[in-house]
Amino acid sequence: MSTKTVAEMSFEEAMQELESVVGQLESSTVALEDSITLYARGEELKKHCEAKLKSAEEKVAQITLGADGAPSGTKPLEGL
Amino acid sequence: MPDLIDPPNLGENAPEFTVSEISGVVKRLIEGEFSHVRIRGEVGRVSRPASGHLYLDLKDDRAVLAGVIWKGVATRLRHRPEEGMEVIATGRLTTFAGQSRYQMVIEDISPAGEGALMAMLERRKKALAAEGLFGAERKQPLPYLPGLIGVVTSPSGAVIRDILHRLRDRFPRKVLVWPVPVQGEKCAASVAAAIAGFNRLQPGGAVPRPDLLIVARGGGSIEDLWGFNEEAVVRAAAASTIPLISAIGHETDTTLIDLAADQRAPTPTAAAELAVPVRADLLAHLNTLEARRIAAQESRLNVRRQRLKDLARALPRPIDLVAGAQQTLDNRALRLQAALRAVTHNKRQVFARASAGLRPNVLKQGMGQSRHRLATLSAQLVRALGQVVQQPRTLLKANGAALRAASPARLVAAQNERLTRLSAQLDQAVRAGAERRRTQLDALERLRQTLGYTQTLKRGFAVVRAQPDGRIITHAKEARRATGLDILFQDGAVSLNGSAGAKSGGKRAPKSDHRDPGQGQLF
């Protein structure tokens, strides 16, 4: 298993590990004790992925440029 | 164009011009007549001296026109003229009186039509490809789900709207727009600066750094899209460390930035589709995984539960396991008691038999016999010992006698005795020898005296010798010849001279007793 905690994972990492965990759970070679750990890990990963999916929000901003042409900040871009 | 400078009158009295005057007239005429012209031709030799001005020739199959683009104009050109390019140059004609030349001062120059532009594009593409800017090994993978998407495009217009709409449909994300003009002279420089600017943003800075860039523009003519073919834009896109999607024009339009981008989208909408997955799909997939996870564990538990049940059913009752053994134990216990009794009985009988013969008399009898035998053997032993000693003792005695007999003292005495005897014998032998030899000597002496002439002398004979040599004279003749004679008698010699001797030769006259000298002379 990854050394990263689930909370640190990107959506993609969490999703990949969840797929791997489910794959292992479905294989008959995993011992019962290990399967319980995997099951709990899967639960955690699934919650993390769900949270990531639900947190999706749209926010559009536009760069404002300073006199030197470098970005000085952002301002909301509206009306689109 | 000689007709242009023909003097108005061809008469004899035509005015005379100096060279400068005529040059000035020509200049005025040309510059006045051709203050604004558009000329189509092929670019010939191009030179770019350090001054920044740009000199080039415009030519067709029969004529050549010298041209100059002043520095200020040259820097503003959208397309740098390259040799062989078909162009349309806009400007005015002017003369250069010092060399009797005329030339065109070019204010603008652009490729003449699409074919010329495409040819130029092809050359640039080859050059950049040769540098490896379009290589597949440079392509970066796009993030699966970018948190922030940077978009380089015009903030107003359909393009950004299309992108945002599609993102909203699929997976609403944060979007940061870097506004740029998407056509015109400033387009290329602005787009290049925007890509580089996004890359310079640091994670966690005042302006957040995007995980993905989209460079987008709507459809247009090839000239409209030209900015995205410029080298600066291509290089900025190739250098971007943030994965970059290009979406320029419509599906059929291909610009050079498309080749340098990590992904090319045919349209801005398609760019949004490449940028994010569909949230609903992900949710569905997540739900599927969830269902599989639960089902897998459920099934695992069920299988084990069933197995446990089956195994439990197959387990026999404990009482059944031990019943057989219990019965065997009881049986053995019963047999054990009987067997113990029987064994004790047997052993007791054996003991009784053995102890019956075991009494003191038996022992005593044995001891008596043994004692008697011991005495006998002791006696034998003493005797045998005596015998054994006797023999060496006899031998010792005999050897002692022999040893005494062979004593050295005895040997010496015997030898002494023998020596004495032999000494006596020796003395006797020596004495007897001496006696015998003396007798023999006396006899020999007598014999000698008998045989010697001295005895003859006693009987009246004499020895006559000649003088002076002493030789024996045996004949009368000799005596007569001799000067003197010595006559030896029994008791000495007498000397005679001359005649005497001759007269009385043979007469012996022994008068002297010089016997010894006579004898010495004789022998």
Side-chain angles (χ1 to χ4, degrees):
Chain A
M1 276 183 201
S2 163
T3 50
K4 265 188 182 177
T5 67
V6 170
E8 288 171 326
M9 283 184 173
S10 70
F11 175 83
E12 191 187 6
E13 285 170 333
M15 194 71 158
Q16 273 180 356
E17 192 181 328
L18 180 57
E19 281 173 357
S20 153
V21 162
V22 170
Q24 289 179 66
L25 274 176
E26 285 173 339
S27 99
S28 56
T29 55
V30 176
L32 186 63
E33 286 78 4
D34 296 338
S35 79
I36 291 164
T37 314
L38 284 170
Y39 186 80
R41 179 82 177 173
E43 177 85 28
E44 201 181 354
L45 289 163
K46 173 225 151 196
K47 279 181 178 159
H48 184 65
C49 287
E50 246 173 16
K52 287 261 175 191
L53 289 179
K54 281 177 179 157
S55 76
E57 55 163 340
E58 182 182 278
K59 193 173 158 192
V60 183
Q62 177 182 341
I63 294 258
T64 53
L65 297 175
D68 55 354
S72 57
T74 58
K75 65 175 185 188
L77 186 66
E78 283 158 0
L80 291 169
Chain B
M1 294 173 262
D3 54 330
L4 291 179
I5 54 170
D6 275 352
N9 302 311
L10 289 166
E12 295 267 313
N13 296 326
E16 290 178 359
F17 292 101
T18 65
V19 174
S20 294
E21 283 168 349
I22 193 67
S23 295
V25 173
V26 169
K27 188 178 184 73
R28 271 197 304 281
L29 279 174
I30 287 183
E31 289 186 353
E33 198 68 22
F34 304 107
S35 58
H36 183 82
V37 288
R38 293 181 78 227
I39 299 174
R40 185 185 183 116
E42 186 189 332
V43 176
R45 190 176 46 81
V46 181
S47 69
R48 296 181 172 84
S51 63
H53 308 317
L54 205 154
Y55 301 93
L56 53 81
D57 289 339
L58 295 173
K59 60 181 185 178
D60 58 19
D61 53 346
R62 280 175 298 174
V64 175
L65 173 65
V68 58
I69 305 173
W70 301 124
K71 183 180 177 180
V73 176
T75 52
R76 283 193 281 107
L77 287 179
R78 283 177 60 188
H79 301 290
R80 292 163 74 88
E82 292 168 31
E83 191 170 339
M85 188 190 278
E86 187 79 10
V87 293
I88 293 171
T90 310
R92 59 195 165 86
L93 293 188
T94 180
T95 66
F96 187 45
Q99 284 183 0
S100 183
R101 284 176 59 193
Y102 66 99
Q103 64 182 8
M104 182 181 187
V105 176
I106 298 167
E107 305 289 352
D108 189 23
I109 189 167
S110 57
E114 215 159 274
L117 217 50
M118 293 315 289
M120 194 176 101
L121 183 62
E122 202 55 38
R123 278 196 296 278
R124 187 178 291 164
K125 184 172 152 186
K126 275 183 187 156
L128 293 173
E131 279 187 48
L133 293 185
F134 305 150
E137 71 282 355
R138 294 180 67 109
K139 307 297 184 199
Q140 310 174 77
L142 303 182
Y144 185 73
L145 182 60
L148 174 63
I149 301 169
V151 181
V152 177
T153 191
S154 167
S156 57
V159 171
I160 186 66
R161 214 192 328 263
D162 288 349
I163 291 174
L164 291 175
H165 275 158
R166 187 46 62 97
L167 287 179
R168 204 173 292 146
D169 289 346
R170 291 172 69 87
F171 204 128
R173 295 280 80 186
K174 292 182 185 127
V175 173
L176 192 54
V177 177
W178 191 304
V180 291
V182 291
Q183 68 185 67
E185 288 165 15
K186 288 182 182 166
C187 166
S190 305
V191 170
I195 295 172
F198 267 138
N199 274 282
R200 269 198 296 276
L201 293 174
Q202 297 303 316
V207 180
R209 179 182 167 96
D211 307 310
L212 176 71
L213 293 184
I214 298 174
V215 179
R217 192 209 185 279
S221 70
I222 185 170
E223 287 83 4
D224 290 340
L225 303 183
W226 195 254
F228 297 92
N229 285 320
E230 290 295 346
E231 197 175 324
V233 172
V234 174
R235 288 190 186 283
S240 177
T241 56
I242 304 173
L244 186 146
I245 301 172
S246 72
I248 308 300
H250 294 304
E251 193 158 359
T252 50
D253 302 321
T254 299
T255 52
L256 294 187
I257 192 178
D258 291 330
L259 303 175
D262 295 306
Q263 281 269 0
R264 186 222 166 186
T267 61
T269 301
E273 287 170 2
L274 285 174
V276 294
V278 179
R279 190 168 72 120
D281 291 352
L282 292 178
L283 273 171
H285 184 45
L286 193 63
N287 288 336
T288 309
L289 284 176
E290 177 67 0
R292 277 168 61 194
R293 181 177 71 95
I294 291 165
Q297 192 65 354
E298 194 66 29
S299 138
R300 179 185 313 279
L301 289 175
N302 280 338
V303 164
R304 278 164 177 70
R305 196 174 288 129
Q306 188 60 46
R307 182 111 191 281
L308 182 62
K309 240 183 242 171
D310 292 350
L311 288 172
R313 204 173 294 135
L315 274 178
R317 290 186 312 144
I319 192 68
D320 292 345
L321 282 176
V322 299
Q326 182 71 57
Q327 190 173 2
T328 308
L329 178 63
D330 291 347
N331 185 15
R332 295 284 154 80
L334 285 174
R335 283 168 59 192
L336 185 63
Q337 282 185 345
L340 196 59
R341 270 198 293 275
V343 166
T344 311
H345 182 67
N346 283 345
K347 296 293 178 196
R348 185 169 288 143
Q349 279 184 338
V350 171
F351 176 67
R353 266 203 302 278
S355 63
L358 203 63
R359 283 189 304 276
N361 274 350
V362 178
L363 270 178
K364 273 178 193 160
Q365 191 178 352
M367 280 171 67
Q369 283 173 354
S370 295
R371 189 172 289 140
H372 179 67
R373 191 145 173 264
L374 177 64
T376 313
L377 287 174
S378 295
Q380 280 179 359
L381 184 62
V382 170
R383 267 199 312 280
L385 194 60
Q387 282 173 357
V388 165
V389 172
Q390 187 59 38
Q391 201 173 355
R393 186 173 288 156
T394 312
L395 197 61
L396 181 61
K397 268 181 192 157
N399 284 340
L403 197 57
R404 268 192 302 276
S407 162
R410 291 173 68 92
L411 210 61
V412 169
Q415 295 298 336
N416 262 342
E417 194 181 337
R418 200 166 154 227
L419 178 62
T420 311
R421 205 167 56 242
L422 288 172
S423 296
Q425 284 175 357
L426 185 60
D427 287 350
Q428 198 178 350
V430 168
R431 270 193 304 272
E435 196 69 29
R436 200 173 62 239
R437 276 172 182 81
R438 186 163 300 276
T439 313
Q440 284 173 350
L441 187 60
D442 291 348
L444 283 170
E445 181 61 20
R446 277 187 307 271
L447 184 58
R448 186 188 66 87
Q449 284 174 1
T450 309
L451 294 174
Y453 73 96
T454 49
Q455 291 299 319
T456 317
L457 294 177
K458 283 175 184 169
R459 288 185 318 248
F461 300 91
V463 176
V464 179
R465 291 175 196 268
Q467 285 184 351
D469 54 356
R471 113 189 105 88
I472 304 283
I473 295 183
T474 56
H475 291 83
K477 218 174 20 172
E478 287 170 358
R480 286 176 206 113
R481 274 197 310 259
T483 59
L485 296 173
D486 288 328
I487 305 163
L488 185 58
F489 299 101
Q490 181 182 293
D491 55 351
V494 172
S495 291
L496 301 169
N497 290 333
S499 54
K503 278 188 234 171
S504 59
K507 188 187 155 188
R508 278 165 294 203
K511 295 188 276 192
S512 133
D513 57 351
H514 299 308
R515 209 180 98 186
D516 289 342
Q519 275 181 336
Q521 287 167 335
L522 185 66
F523 293 127

